[in-house]
Amino acid sequence: MKKMLALCVAMALSGCATADNGNYHASEKAKNIAQKYIIVDGHIDVPYRLQEKWVDVTQATQGGDFDYPRAVAGGLNAPFMSIYVPASLDNSPESTALAHRLIDYVEAIVGRAPDKFAIAKSVADVEQQFQQGLISLPMGMENGSPVQGSMDTLKQFYDRGIRYITLAHSMSNHISDSSYDLRRKWKGLSPFGKDLIVEMNNLGIMIDISHVSDAAFYQAVEISKVPVIASHSSLRSFTPGFERNMDDEMIKALGKNGGVIMINFGSTFVDPVSRAWRIEMGDKRKAVEEKFGRDSAQYQAFEKEYRETSPFPFSNVETVLDHIDHVVKLVGVDHVGIGSDYDGVGDSLPIGLKDVSTYPNLVQGLLDRNYSEADIEKLLGTNLIRVWREVEQYAAKN
Ligand SMILES: [Zn+2]
């Protein structure tokens, strides 16, 4: 408790994060590295957090995983703001409107504090804003549904700053099958999805294969003329059967493609124990739903009560590092990055990586595992920047 109190004093600016970061303490060296190099995070769900409950993230906030003081403390420079649209809205005017509204939120953050944040639409923007001491807010769209089958709409989103699109989310959409959706409607990508990849290449929008089915991944890699990214995925070898993560063959294909997998921190993405807990809880909750219905008091109270008797087994920094190591072992250090999913995975974040102030803990772990500073720089940011630059260069020629 005493340690927690000291932490609260130290983090007075951030309103005291109550998250338990265990015994993880970054050295001065790790903290310096986090400040010195550009940290790009592939996926942070701030816009949808604001959609659900507005809060001013240019100041310290209670709760949530991201705000300005904590981002500065963690050395975060370019978090991709996720323009997330739920799968249920596929290919509807509502999905397009919601995406525009979420982009408005990102613009509003910058409008409120132009001395702290800036929209980044290019690698050059990120590098210049880093020099200026501003936090860049590049944007990625999670779920291509708002495109609504229109290349004109795609161009509108490009003009507003969308620089990657996650082709699908939790259900098959008009572009691609989803790993979570057992109906394999398209057996990969839809005919429009295949055309969309060509057009995204031409415009300079990165292709994000997180969430899609394996078949869609292989088709995307085949069609794309430039490397693709996984903005927030982890490794299936740690979570067998969980198609949302990438298996070793896919990682090898991604390496050959020149792409980058940005590791999702969520405990159930990285840790088999956390994953098993989630599956068991889900099965039991489903039984309660079938017996009493979704509106019942029993169903509503189920998860909270379950957690009291069977606490969620959080993962930790070491497990996330194991995922990074595994990618490096398979395809080398040029193809891995970080895609925390902060503000997107609820309270399932690992001990030691509870919010955007904790990147130095990850850096410490990399130092402890004998990663060189040059390699750490790559996986913190320049791997993604390399892909983004290749995508820009291809588009400039077309
Ligand atoms: Zn996601």
Side-chain angles (χ1 to χ4, degrees), residues 43 45 142 169 211 232 244 264 341:
H43 196 91
D45 272 302
E142 182 174 35
H169 188 250
H211 279 287
H232 61 308
R244 171 68 181 79
N264 189 317
D341 219 346

Side-chain angles (χ1 to χ4, degrees), residues 90-91 143-145 147-151 167-168 171-178 183-200 212-220 223:
D90 182 39
N91 201 7
N143 191 353
S145 119
V147 170
Q148 279 197 76
S150 160
M151 298 309 179
L167 301 174
M171 290 195 285
S172 297
N173 62 9
H174 73 293
I175 295 166
S176 172
D177 287 341
S178 161
R183 301 165 302 163
R184 298 296 149 114
K185 190 173 172 185
W186 305 109
K187 302 200 167 23
L189 300 170
S190 73
F192 173 71
K194 291 174 181 171
D195 292 345
L196 182 70
I197 287 187
V198 173
E199 194 56 22
M200 285 168 71
V212 304
S213 67
D214 289 5
F217 161 78
Y218 283 109
Q219 290 167 17
I223 296 167

Side-chain angles (χ1 to χ4, degrees), residues 184-243:
R184 298 296 149 114
K185 190 173 172 185
W186 305 109
K187 302 200 167 23
L189 300 170
S190 73
F192 173 71
K194 291 174 181 171
D195 292 345
L196 182 70
I197 287 187
V198 173
E199 194 56 22
M200 285 168 71
N201 282 173
N202 290 340
L203 277 176
I205 302 178
M206 288 180 277
I207 287 140
D208 177 18
I209 56 77
S210 285
H211 279 287
V212 304
S213 67
D214 289 5
F217 161 78
Y218 283 109
Q219 290 167 17
V221 166
E222 176 89 32
I223 296 167
S224 180
K225 301 283 188 217
V226 287
V228 305
I229 63 166
S231 70
H232 61 308
S233 293
S234 307
L235 301 184
R236 206 180 300 167
S237 61
F238 294 82
T239 57
F242 186 40
E243 193 179 339

Side-chain angles (χ1 to χ4, degrees), residues 97-112:
L98 175 58
H100 280 298
R101 195 153 64 237
L102 296 171
I103 296 170
D104 287 347
Y105 291 153
V106 179
E107 290 179 350
I109 293 170
V110 175
R112 187 166 278 109

Side-chain angles (χ1 to χ4, degrees), residues 13-312:
L13 265 178
S14 71
C16 181
T18 49
D20 176 13
N21 278 304
N23 289 320
Y24 289 97
H25 291 294
S27 64
E28 284 309 308
K29 184 176 182 192
K31 287 181 195 162
N32 286 338
I33 288 174
Q35 296 295 331
K36 183 172 164 191
Y37 299 111
I38 296 180
I39 298 183
V40 179
D41 191 313
H43 196 91
I44 299 194
D45 272 302
V46 170
Y48 207 78
R49 172 179 162 205
L50 302 187
Q51 164 77 5
E52 292 197 312
K53 187 169 184 280
W54 187 86
V55 62
D56 182 2
V57 294
T58 70
Q59 312 288 331
T61 61
Q62 294 292 336
D65 309 326
F66 176 97
D67 57 39
Y68 181 75
R70 283 184 279 170
V72 169
L76 176 60
N77 306 106
F80 270 87
M81 295 283 101
S82 172
I83 304 302
Y84 159 69
V85 174
S88 56
L89 298 178
D90 182 39
N91 201 7
S92 67
E94 290 78 17
S95 84
T96 308
L98 175 58
H100 280 298
R101 195 153 64 237
L102 296 171
I103 296 170
D104 287 347
Y105 291 153
V106 179
E107 290 179 350
I109 293 170
V110 175
R112 187 166 278 109
D115 56 328
K116 296 175 179 173
F117 294 103
I119 306 265
K121 295 184 177 180
S122 64
V123 169
D125 283 351
V126 170
E127 290 175 340
Q128 193 187 21
Q129 290 157 4
F130 178 67
Q131 295 302 333
Q132 293 171 324
L134 296 168
I135 292 180
S136 300
L137 299 179
M139 287 182 275
M141 182 182 280
E142 182 174 35
N143 191 353
S145 119
V147 170
Q148 279 197 76
S150 160
M151 298 309 179
D152 289 341
T153 307
L154 178 73
K155 176 70 165 56
Q156 282 167 17
F157 283 122
Y158 173 84
D159 290 341
R160 291 206 69 188
I162 295 295
R163 289 298 178 269
Y164 75 67
I165 295 178
T166 319
L167 301 174
H169 188 250
S170 58
M171 290 195 285
S172 297
N173 62 9
H174 73 293
I175 295 166
S176 172
D177 287 341
S178 161
S179 60
Y180 285 140
D181 189 342
L182 296 178
R183 301 165 302 163
R184 298 296 149 114
K185 190 173 172 185
W186 305 109
K187 302 200 167 23
L189 300 170
S190 73
F192 173 71
K194 291 174 181 171
D195 292 345
L196 182 70
I197 287 187
V198 173
E199 194 56 22
M200 285 168 71
N201 282 173
N202 290 340
L203 277 176
I205 302 178
M206 288 180 277
I207 287 140
D208 177 18
I209 56 77
S210 285
H211 279 287
V212 304
S213 67
D214 289 5
F217 161 78
Y218 283 109
Q219 290 167 17
V221 166
E222 176 89 32
I223 296 167
S224 180
K225 301 283 188 217
V226 287
V228 305
I229 63 166
S231 70
H232 61 308
S233 293
S234 307
L235 301 184
R236 206 180 300 167
S237 61
F238 294 82
T239 57
F242 186 40
E243 193 179 339
R244 171 68 181 79
N245 281 343
M246 296 177 74
D247 73 18
D248 288 2
E249 290 311 306
M250 294 163 83
I251 297 295
K252 287 179 196 161
L254 184 78
K256 230 191 232 163
N257 162 275
V260 177
I261 175 173
M262 309 178 84
I263 302 294
N264 189 317
F265 292 176
S267 290
T268 59
F269 283 78
V270 292
D271 199 315
V273 177
S274 313
R275 176 118 217 101
W277 183 98
R278 173 60 54 86
I279 290 167
E280 196 179 331
M281 189 278 289
D283 288 348
K284 289 184 174 160
R285 188 175 57 186
K286 199 165 183 2
V288 171
E289 183 185 356
E290 277 163 12
K291 198 165 168 195
F292 300 104
R294 212 166 235 269
D295 295 328
S296 66
Q298 286 94 332
Y299 179 81
Q300 300 291 339
F302 180 80
E303 184 169 342
K304 188 165 176 283
E305 285 171 9
Y306 188 84
R307 279 175 186 270
E308 278 162 17
T309 51
S310 170
F312 179 70

